Amino acid sequence: MRIAGKGLIDRSKAVTFRFDGRSYQGFQGDTVASALLANGQKLMGRSFKYHRPRGVLTAGSEEPNALVTVGRGAEADPNVRATVQEIYDGLEVRSQNAWPSLDFDVMAVNDLAAPFLGAGFYYKTFMWPAKFWEAVYEPIIRRAAGLGALSGKHDQDRYERAYAFCDLLVIGGGPTGLMAALTAARAGADVILADEDARMGGRLNAETGVIGHQPGHAWAADVVAELAAMPNVRLMTRTTVTGAYDGGMYGALERVNHHGVRRANLPLETFWRIHARRAILAAGALERPVAFQNNDRPGVMTAGAVRTYLNRWGVSPGKHVTVFGNNDDAHRTARDLAAAGVHVAALIDSRADVTVEGADFPVHTGAQVCNAAGRKELEAITIRTASGEQAIQTDCLAMSGGWNPTVHLTCHMNGRPRWDAGIQAFVPRPDAVPGMVAAGACNGVFPTRACLQAGVDAAAEVVAALGMKAGAMEVPRAEDDAYAMEPLWAVPGKGRAWLDFQNDVSVKDVKQAAVENFRSVEHMKRYTTQGMATDQGKNSNVAALAILADATGRGIPETGTTTFRPPYVPVAIAAMGAGAQGKGFAPQRFTTSHQASIAMGAPMIEAGLWYRPSYFPRTGESGWRQSCDREVGHVRKAVGVCDVSTLGKIDIQGPDAAKLLDFVYTNMFSTLPVGRVRYGLMLREDGHVMDDGTTARLGETHYVMTTTTAAAGQVMRHLDFVSQCLHPEWQVAFASVTEQWAQFAVAGPKSRELLNGLLGAEIDGESWPFMACGAVEVCGVQGRLFRISFSGEHAYEVAVPARFGASLFDLLVSRAEALGGGAYGMEALNVLRIEKGFITHAEIHGRTTAFDIGMGRMVSARKDCIGKTLAARPGLVEETREQLVGLKPVGAVRQISAGAHLFDAGAEAVRENDQGYITSVGFSPDLGHMIGLGFVRRGMAREGEVIRMVDHLRGLEADVEICHPVFLDREGERVRG
């Protein structure tokens, strides 16, 4: 019910919304939860397993019960917390996890079967009969699983990702966060203040206390106004910092378009990556419930939440409210309710020696609530005192088991909180997250004045670390009462006492886990599903740990905590993947020539994470083969241009750079002259080929390694492992520079002619022989030139800083076309390299050795290298192994296919007769037929033999002849000419 004269809502602006098809009215500033409570609607959801009636428990993002679906159709958003969702005209909200209705849920029959559905029942029940799993158990479980449901329609909403940088990120806009932000901002620091609420102030908006000479919420509003006027401050409301990561990076979710009718010009949500030099965590604390029989009835709430609904939204969740707690903070709820004219049925304090002065309501000390009555809403409670049990008629119970500091973000980098016996809660360890300081209630400091002082102190510490100086800050007068409490985790008694409200985990379940020897907190969590709901145990974890500790005879510190992982609140995958709707989860990487390739009509294909042009169609060409044949002809007869920027490029420098290369490559690089390039082969530790590529020596201690596109990341990790673990004493540094350089292959008989029109100084065969490299000037821009070829033709690769890549590609293509050539794509590139017998990861796929691909002589006998010893194992050098060969069709069927297997003529096409397989195929315009590369047992000795190709997948069979893997220019005259 609404309470006159209370709340920070705007009562002049009425708002109409719908819940389960029925219209309700609230006011601007209400949440769905506050508006429904104001209208007397206490039942808001059903629990996951037993479908028990559930009402709102809290007033914030930690809410486990009141989860709703917002919107309909493609805009339907399930599992939205009613305590966070603001109301607006036209808002449509539906309850979930109930059928056919919230009021009458057929699945509530599960509650009657509760004795058979205890913790871990699924591990025991669904084991037999085995054939029932797929036919019976799995379909039923999948149908019953989950809470809300997606519409199944394409998400039409727009999401954005954004980046922000600051000196200081303050997480939380309560008294501590506001004072910290104000102190740092006045000192000149660039500050971002992020708070998940629509209104900054934190608990100050929920209390009646005074700061200085004004109400706490008014003081908070004044500070926010001052901060908003400062140019070095960014205020981010409705923004939850969801995770802490390496290097001062924080993830944050901003709810942009959830609080009003969807506006097309705004995203629904924005996911921020915030890089902060320092951070102050001022996330406050979360109140924990007390477990007792039927403590989940709608109308049973945390005491702090009841106080929040009263003071912030002007709502009393009941007409006859009872308060039950083990700490002094619960008394505030009783006093605020009484002062607002709400009937307080009783204040029950579990501590026997506490004194409550000036109370004009019944007080029971040394008493406990042991049961709650009612089904769809609370009707009465039973309290247990020294003299026995008695019933109290009440429609709302405000309970408080104490406060837990919000330590979650401090644990996101493997930090573990420490137990503070004084407040019976976990608090953060210093430096749990580098650069982050925890202050205020999240650090175990609860009095308001102490929180204000903690904000000033934390900001002063951070500002000093940033090289600035904080001015003197006056801390205003405020409530400074000590936090006093005695632990009470669960009230003994019969029946089920609930810990995890959403997942229906009871005290009995946790004790049963201990009986079955799931003594580890992580094992208990998985056995009972405690803390695995959408609230991630924010309301229940500490109490569950205490129950487990008691059941196993340990203390809470020895029992430990579960692992807190990001995100702190649920985050839509669409928000984290903003900008990638309709695409896969893998990142997309584009070359500098991407837009030009698209403009030329090239279909793009994935190569690693990169997108590269397949071919460049021209008017009159009916298919990709015509385009591919033409592009091959460009390279063989004139000149072709191909963007090869995707190849991994690793810059290696230092006195021991040559040692590193000698150790990771099979061949020698320490003998490579400056200004020259050498092809290299790299092995894994097990002796199989990892990658191949070229490395150029630009200076005595300066090399540039080129890797294949697919293995660039793997090779980088490999070098890291060698330098950090195997030879940390070597003086060598390396970095990936793939994105820093745009690199283009210019291949064909006219390649030198084309380049000489662009280079600052012309080159010839003597000044720039095959496998030469060095610095050049390209149209006035400093670049690099390598005379290397992946086509077998006279070719070069020219590299310029990436910002010049797009313009250089356009220039190269236009000049190539003028010379009778043009751009060529991956299809032509594949044909060109097969004609020359060059390998890619189609051939070095993880099971081949240097011996298999005909490069055994590249394993130097003069030095050691990674993989050399294991590559020499007898099984890896036998003549009977599958060896690289060329293949061409010789029968009536002229088509061959990659992936097909090879069999002796006349042999049955079964696994036992398998002689090898085909890895790559293409049509050679020069030869007039298809060619391929593959592996055949004793292949080097079987040249000229005809065998049978069988492709079971495509239903294709053909006779093929084993050939030398090099089909064109075996002597290499073209590439050296």
Side-chain angles (χ1 to χ4, degrees):
M1 62 179 182
R2 289 288 183 189
I3 305 299
K6 298 292 289 185
L8 306 179
I9 54 177
D10 187 349
R11 297 192 186 227
S12 67
K13 296 180 180 178
V15 176
T16 301
F17 70 102
R18 295 174 68 82
F19 176 69
D20 279 348
R22 180 181 171 186
S23 291
Y24 292 86
Q25 190 175 81
F27 297 104
Q28 185 170 303
D30 266 323
T31 64
V32 170
S34 67
L36 288 177
L37 287 173
N39 284 276
Q41 178 68 40
K42 294 184 179 180
L43 179 61
M44 298 188 195
R46 294 278 178 163
S47 65
F48 172 68
K49 186 161 67 173
Y50 299 127
H51 286 251
R52 288 171 64 88
R54 291 284 162 79
V56 67
L57 177 71
T58 70
S61 63
E62 70 274 19
E63 175 59 34
N65 291 340
L67 302 182
V68 296
T69 296
V70 174
R72 284 193 176 274
E75 290 188 351
D77 193 2
N79 296 336
V80 175
R81 289 142 292 167
T83 52
V84 173
Q85 176 64 53
E86 300 165 62
I87 64 170
Y88 54 87
D89 281 319
L91 173 68
E92 185 165 348
V93 182
R94 290 177 288 125
S95 59
Q96 51 190 42
N97 199 41
W99 184 85
S101 69
L102 177 63
D103 193 60
F104 179 74
D105 182 11
V106 171
M107 291 299 290
V109 70
N110 286 3
D111 202 21
L112 300 177
F116 306 100
L117 304 177
F121 79 94
Y122 29 80
Y123 297 124
K124 307 166 185 176
T125 306
F126 302 122
M127 301 299 290
W128 57 271
K131 61 182 179 181
F132 270 40
W133 174 251
E134 289 188 4
V136 180
Y137 299 145
E138 185 179 16
I140 292 175
I141 292 172
R142 287 193 180 278
R143 188 173 182 83
L147 293 168
L150 294 170
S151 67
K153 299 179 181 179
H154 180 68
D155 185 4
Q156 301 292 336
D157 291 313
R158 185 164 63 89
Y159 299 83
E160 285 186 354
R161 56 184 172 189
Y163 300 84
F165 303 85
C166 61
D167 293 325
L168 173 63
L169 170 64
V170 180
I171 305 168
T176 305
L178 290 175
M179 280 300 287
L182 188 62
T183 303
R186 287 179 177 176
D190 289 325
V191 177
I192 291 178
L193 174 58
D195 191 90
E196 66 180 2
D197 207 332
R199 182 186 183 111
M200 290 195 178
R203 289 295 307 172
L204 297 179
N205 295 325
E207 306 289 356
T208 57
V210 173
I211 296 183
H213 302 287
Q214 59 186 143
H217 66 85
W219 176 87
D222 287 348
V223 173
V224 169
E226 181 178 346
L227 290 170
M230 302 175 77
N232 57 325
V233 176
R234 172 185 282 177
L235 300 178
M236 299 180 71
T237 57
R238 300 186 181 93
T239 303
T240 305
V241 176
T242 60
Y245 305 93
D246 289 332
M249 187 66 72
Y250 296 86
L253 180 71
E254 181 183 8
R255 304 186 311 279
V256 180
N257 212 358
H258 280 288
H259 54 282
V261 177
R262 302 281 172 87
R263 288 165 286 179
N265 63 323
L266 291 178
L268 183 66
E269 296 174 346
T270 298
F271 191 80
W272 289 85
R273 279 91 166 164
I274 301 175
H275 186 272
R277 297 172 64 191
R278 292 290 188 277
I280 293 176
L281 180 65
L286 301 174
E287 195 168 20
R288 58 191 180 222
V290 178
F292 58 87
Q293 186 178 358
N294 293 320
N295 64 326
D296 64 333
R297 297 303 186 199
V300 179
M301 303 167 61
T302 60
V306 171
R307 198 158 72 245
T308 301
Y309 286 108
L310 175 69
N311 293 323
R312 178 166 178 180
W313 290 294
V315 174
S316 173
K319 296 179 180 179
H320 309 283
V321 183
T322 304
V323 180
F324 168 45
N326 65 347
N327 60 85
D328 291 350
D329 190 73
H331 299 181
R332 295 186 190 179
T333 301
R335 291 195 182 98
D336 285 1
L337 287 166
V342 179
H343 176 244
V344 178
L347 170 62
I348 304 160
D349 197 311
S350 61
R351 298 170 294 174
D353 57 351
V354 70
T355 300
V356 181
E357 297 179 356
D360 54 356
F361 40 77
V363 176
H364 302 272
T365 59
Q368 299 175 343
V369 176
C370 58
N371 196 5
R375 178 65 180 171
K376 296 177 184 175
E377 63 178 282
L378 182 66
E379 297 174 358
I381 60 170
T382 302
I383 67 170
R384 183 183 299 143
T385 64
S387 58
E389 295 184 356
Q390 68 179 84
I392 298 177
Q393 298 300 309
T394 185
D395 58 357
C396 176
L397 176 65
M399 59 177 171
S400 177
W403 292 80
N404 293 324
T406 308
V407 301
H408 302 70
L409 287 177
T410 66
C411 301
H412 285 179
M413 294 178 66
N414 295 322
R416 291 284 182 174
R418 63 176 180 84
W419 180 253
D420 187 332
I423 61 172
Q424 290 290 297
F426 288 99
V427 296
R429 294 184 185 275
D431 300 321
V433 173
M436 176 191 282
V437 177
C442 73
N443 200 35
V445 177
F446 296 132
T448 304
R449 193 187 187 286
C451 286
L452 296 171
Q453 185 64 58
V456 172
D457 294 342
E461 177 186 341
V462 166
V463 165
L466 293 171
M468 305 175 188
K469 185 177 180 180
M473 290 289 292
E474 180 182 353
V475 178
R477 291 180 300 169
E479 169 270 320
D480 202 20
D481 298 334
Y483 175 67
M485 61 91 68
E486 286 183 2
L488 176 64
W489 311 108
V491 177
K494 297 180 180 180
R496 290 169 292 175
W498 303 100
L499 294 168
D500 189 314
F501 289 82
Q502 189 178 122
N503 273 0
D504 285 327
V505 179
S506 66
V507 171
K508 179 182 177 182
D509 292 331
V510 174
K511 291 181 176 179
Q512 182 63 32
V515 168
E516 299 196 25
N517 207 32
F518 292 96
R519 298 166 56 88
S520 163
V521 63
E522 296 288 359
H523 292 164
M524 178 274 288
K525 172 182 176 178
R526 285 154 181 80
Y527 185 70
T528 64
T529 70
Q530 158 62 41
M532 295 173 67
T534 56
D535 72 323
Q536 291 291 287
K538 293 181 179 70
N539 305 283
S540 57
N541 267 355
V542 175
L545 300 177
I547 301 299
L548 181 64
D550 181 67
T552 55
R554 297 174 293 179
I556 295 177
E558 291 75 30
T559 303
T561 65
T562 54
T563 302
F564 298 112
R565 297 182 177 91
Y568 174 71
V569 295
V571 177
I573 293 175
M576 289 189 285
Q581 279 185 300
K583 303 175 183 178
F585 284 108
Q588 293 179 312
R589 305 177 76 180
F590 301 119
T591 62
T592 56
S593 65
H594 183 78
Q595 291 302 323
S597 299
I598 295 293
M600 294 167 70
M604 307 305 287
I605 59 173
E606 294 182 53
L609 297 176
W610 292 93
Y611 282 71
R612 301 184 69 178
S614 179
Y615 57 94
F616 294 88
R618 287 187 180 176
T619 303
E621 293 175 345
S622 59
W624 69 270
R625 258 286 309 279
Q626 284 184 284
S627 302
C628 177
D629 291 352
R630 171 180 49 78
E631 292 169 16
V632 172
H634 287 166
V635 176
R636 295 288 182 224
K637 300 171 184 177
V639 60
V641 176
C642 181
D643 192 332
V644 294
S645 305
T646 64
L647 298 174
K649 293 175 279 294
I650 302 174
D651 197 279
I652 304 172
Q653 299 188 40
D656 294 321
K659 289 183 180 179
L660 174 65
L661 292 170
D662 281 348
F663 190 54
V664 297
Y665 277 128
T666 61
N667 47 328
M668 297 282 287
F669 278 83
S670 56
T671 58
L672 180 66
V674 174
R676 303 290 286 181
V677 184
R678 182 168 291 168
Y679 175 80
L681 196 66
M682 195 176 295
L683 305 181
R684 299 194 310 241
E685 290 183 308
D686 63 1
H688 292 85
V689 178
M690 174 189 291
D691 196 42
D692 71 332
T694 60
T695 293
R697 191 168 193 172
L698 302 181
E700 282 298 324
T701 60
H702 185 191
Y703 294 81
V704 173
M705 175 188 290
T706 301
T707 74
T708 59
T709 298
Q714 181 185 9
V715 171
M716 189 68 185
R717 290 193 299 271
H718 186 57
L719 296 181
D720 276 330
F721 173 73
V722 172
S723 65
Q724 294 181 33
C725 302
L726 303 183
H727 287 287
E729 76 282 2
W730 283 351
Q731 297 181 52
V732 59
F734 46 86
S736 173
V737 294
T738 306
E739 291 84 358
Q740 279 65 45
W741 293 91
Q743 194 155 316
F744 305 97
V746 182
K750 299 180 181 179
S751 57
R752 184 187 297 159
E753 180 183 348
L754 187 156
L755 285 174
N756 276 336
L758 301 175
L759 299 177
E762 290 192 359
I763 59 173
D764 55 31
E766 292 185 7
S767 63
W768 220 273
F770 180 56
M771 301 300 272
C773 68
V776 293
E777 185 180 282
V778 186
C779 298
V781 174
Q782 292 300 311
R784 294 169 178 171
L785 185 65
F786 310 87
R787 187 174 170 186
I788 53 181
S789 176
F790 195 54
S791 60
E793 294 294 331
H794 184 143
Y796 302 83
E797 289 186 13
V798 56
V800 294
R803 63 184 180 275
F804 301 108
S807 58
L808 179 59
F809 179 75
D810 292 341
L811 191 58
L812 289 171
V813 171
S814 64
R815 288 181 173 250
E817 291 174 346
L819 293 172
Y824 65 99
M826 293 291 288
E827 296 294 346
L829 183 67
N830 192 51
V831 172
L832 292 165
R833 68 97 182 171
I834 293 174
E835 288 178 336
K836 289 297 297 179
F838 293 153
I839 60 173
T840 66
H841 276 268
E843 287 72 44
I844 49 175
H845 46 58
R847 297 193 303 114
T848 52
T849 66
F851 174 79
D852 298 338
I853 57 178
M855 298 184 185
R857 294 177 62 184
M858 282 188 65
V859 182
S860 174
R862 294 189 293 159
K863 68 175 185 67
D864 191 16
C865 70
I866 291 178
K868 179 178 180 179
T869 300
L870 292 183
R873 287 175 290 173
L876 298 186
V877 293
E878 292 178 352
E879 295 293 332
T880 57
R881 285 184 61 83
E882 295 166 341
Q883 299 167 347
L884 181 69
V885 297
L887 297 161
K888 65 180 181 179
V890 293
V893 178
R894 308 298 291 175
Q895 183 179 356
I896 58 177
S897 57
H901 281 255
L902 303 169
F903 303 90
D904 288 332
E908 185 181 2
V910 295
R911 178 179 58 82
E912 291 79 4
N913 297 330
D914 190 25
Q915 293 296 300
Y917 52 93
I918 301 177
T919 57
S920 306
V921 299
F923 180 83
S924 171
D926 286 271
L927 300 176
H929 57 74
M930 293 195 75
I931 57 174
L933 298 176
F935 289 88
V936 177
R937 295 184 186 276
R938 300 181 296 103
M940 297 177 186
R942 299 173 68 175
E943 190 171 334
E945 182 179 337
V946 175
I947 59 177
R948 189 160 61 107
M949 179 209 80
V950 178
D951 188 334
H952 292 287
L953 182 64
R954 300 175 180 86
L956 182 66
E957 295 189 20
D959 292 332
V960 295
E961 180 182 333
I962 300 175
C963 314
H964 192 280
V966 180
F967 293 89
L968 286 179
D969 188 26
R970 193 176 301 181
E971 294 75 22
E973 293 179 357
R974 297 184 184 182
V975 75
R976 291 177 174 82

